[in-house]
Amino acid sequence: MSTEGTPVKTAVLITIIGESVPRDRLVKLLKSKEVTGYTISQAQGEGGHGRRLGDIAGYNTNIEIKTVVSPEDSEDILRAVMEMRNGHALMAFRQNVELLSNE
Amino acid sequence: MSTEGTPVKTAVLITIIGESVPRDRLVKLLKSKEVTGYTISQAQGEGGHGRRLGDIAGYNTNIEIKTVVSPEDSEDILRAVMEMRNGHALMAFRQNVELLSNE
Amino acid sequence: MSTEGTPVKTAVLITIIGESVPRDRLVKLLKSKEVTGYTISQAQGEGGHGRRLGDIAGYNTNIEIKTVVSPEDSEDILRAVMEMRNGHALMAFRQNVELLSNE
């Protein structure tokens, strides 16, 4: 992707999806890492947590939290999500993005 | 992205978006590929299927299905989506992600 | 990601998120760039625009617009978004994707 003329910087999009996510704890976690923003949306879903879909009775409401952070902060946040995942059906992944810069 | 200290593995996020997607067939397809989970959400949208936006009368409700799978399974799933696309306004794309691992 | 057997092409997913986005202007912008489709969804959110989360009183409704375009068009669209961002709490980022091709 050419970046000629458009000020972009490399950042990391983190997506956290869960059916029984402790939303308040996740938001508190993001705030403690001083992220500048996040969005929360809902989706129907099945699965996760190592089970196969065939094992699961029906649809659930999942929440999906997304935030764009620096590469360094993404490491901190994923590690903290991993620590709070215990007992919750929770998945998280990250991707590099080119973020339109403020400058 | 540094992965020091945080157990991540390379995976593939597949996104399928369509305005007239046969949802049940797509879910059945994902189950047949033994994916461990997916989410379905709704969005307003326009376009797709080779038409330009100016050709289209109004907004439609699209569904968006997302699933995170192994690179090998992503290949199978995209091929199957392509085969069922015939006659449906359907798009699909994939991206590499770093998935927080269970181990 | 192997592409053997499945016709994919490199494309760019653009995501625009904002709490006070002039939706009609963004849609008009996308149409002027002849994108073949986009989706709009809503999400709760906090933050953006250089403020820290702690400065902000409560949740807001954000809109999220996504479109998949060619690498060249992504450059044009980001530049135009940057120009219309003035005064709006708006973020935008792009990612490479492998798009299932029509051929």
Side-chain angles (χ1 to χ4, degrees):
Chain A
M1 291 181 288
S2 162
T3 60
E4 186 194 331
T6 308
V8 293
K9 60 182 175 186
T10 298
V12 177
L13 169 63
I14 294 182
T15 304
I16 305 167
I17 298 174
E19 59 178 89
S20 64
V21 185
R23 171 181 167 150
D24 291 344
R25 284 182 62 199
L26 281 170
V27 169
K28 196 174 170 185
L29 162 65
L30 295 180
K31 290 189 181 187
S32 75
K33 301 300 179 191
E34 303 207 326
V35 306
T36 55
Y38 65 90
T39 60
I40 300 181
S41 55
Q42 291 195 320
Q44 281 192 298
E46 287 186 275
H49 212 48
R51 293 171 295 177
R52 294 282 162 177
L53 283 180
D55 302 339
I56 299 170
Y59 295 106
N60 296 297
T61 298
N62 285 262
I63 69 167
E64 181 182 292
I65 298 184
K66 289 188 289 191
T67 187
V68 175
V69 299
S70 70
E72 301 74 36
D73 287 349
S74 84
E75 188 67 15
D76 274 359
I77 290 169
L78 279 190
R79 195 178 299 116
V81 167
M82 189 177 58
E83 285 164 9
M84 79 160 55
R85 187 167 57 177
N86 194 18
H88 297 285
L90 189 64
M91 72 177 294
F93 55 87
R94 67 178 165 192
Q95 302 159 270
N96 283 326
V97 301
E98 283 188 354
L99 178 66
L100 193 58
S101 171
N102 282 310
E103 290 87 61
Chain B
M1 291 182 288
S2 162
T3 60
E4 186 194 331
T6 308
V8 293
K9 61 182 175 185
T10 298
V12 177
L13 169 64
I14 294 182
T15 304
I16 306 167
I17 298 175
E19 59 178 88
S20 64
V21 187
R23 172 182 167 149
D24 291 344
R25 284 182 62 198
L26 281 170
V27 169
K28 195 173 171 187
L29 163 64
L30 295 180
K31 289 191 180 186
S32 75
K33 301 299 180 190
E34 303 207 327
V35 306
T36 56
Y38 65 90
T39 59
I40 300 182
S41 55
Q42 291 194 319
Q44 282 192 298
E46 287 187 274
H49 210 50
R51 292 172 295 177
R52 294 283 162 176
L53 283 179
D55 303 340
I56 299 170
Y59 294 106
N60 296 298
T61 298
N62 286 262
I63 69 166
E64 181 182 292
I65 299 183
K66 288 188 289 192
T67 187
V68 176
V69 299
S70 70
E72 301 73 36
D73 287 349
S74 84
E75 188 67 16
D76 274 0
I77 291 169
L78 279 190
R79 195 178 299 116
V81 167
M82 187 176 59
E83 285 164 8
M84 79 161 53
R85 187 168 57 176
N86 195 17
H88 297 285
L90 188 64
M91 71 176 295
F93 55 87
R94 67 177 166 193
Q95 301 159 271
N96 283 326
V97 300
E98 283 188 355
L99 178 66
L100 192 59
S101 170
N102 282 311
E103 289 88 62
Chain C
M1 292 182 288
S2 161
T3 58
E4 185 194 331
T6 308
V8 293
K9 61 181 175 188
T10 298
V12 177
L13 169 64
I14 294 182
T15 304
I16 305 166
I17 298 175
E19 59 178 89
S20 64
V21 186
R23 173 182 167 150
D24 291 344
R25 283 182 63 199
L26 282 169
V27 169
K28 195 173 171 185
L29 163 64
L30 295 180
K31 290 190 180 186
S32 76
K33 301 300 180 190
E34 303 207 325
V35 307
T36 55
Y38 65 89
T39 60
I40 300 181
S41 55
Q42 291 194 320
Q44 282 191 298
E46 287 187 275
H49 211 49
R51 293 171 294 178
R52 295 281 162 177
L53 283 179
D55 303 338
I56 299 171
Y59 294 106
N60 296 297
T61 298
N62 287 262
I63 69 166
E64 181 183 292
I65 299 184
K66 288 188 289 193
T67 187
V68 176
V69 299
S70 70
E72 300 75 34
D73 288 349
S74 83
E75 188 67 16
D76 274 359
I77 290 169
L78 279 190
R79 194 177 301 117
V81 167
M82 188 176 58
E83 285 164 8
M84 78 161 54
R85 188 168 58 177
N86 194 19
H88 297 285
L90 188 64
M91 71 176 295
F93 54 87
R94 66 178 167 190
Q95 301 160 270
N96 283 326
V97 301
E98 283 188 353
L99 177 66
L100 193 59
S101 171
N102 282 310
E103 288 87 63

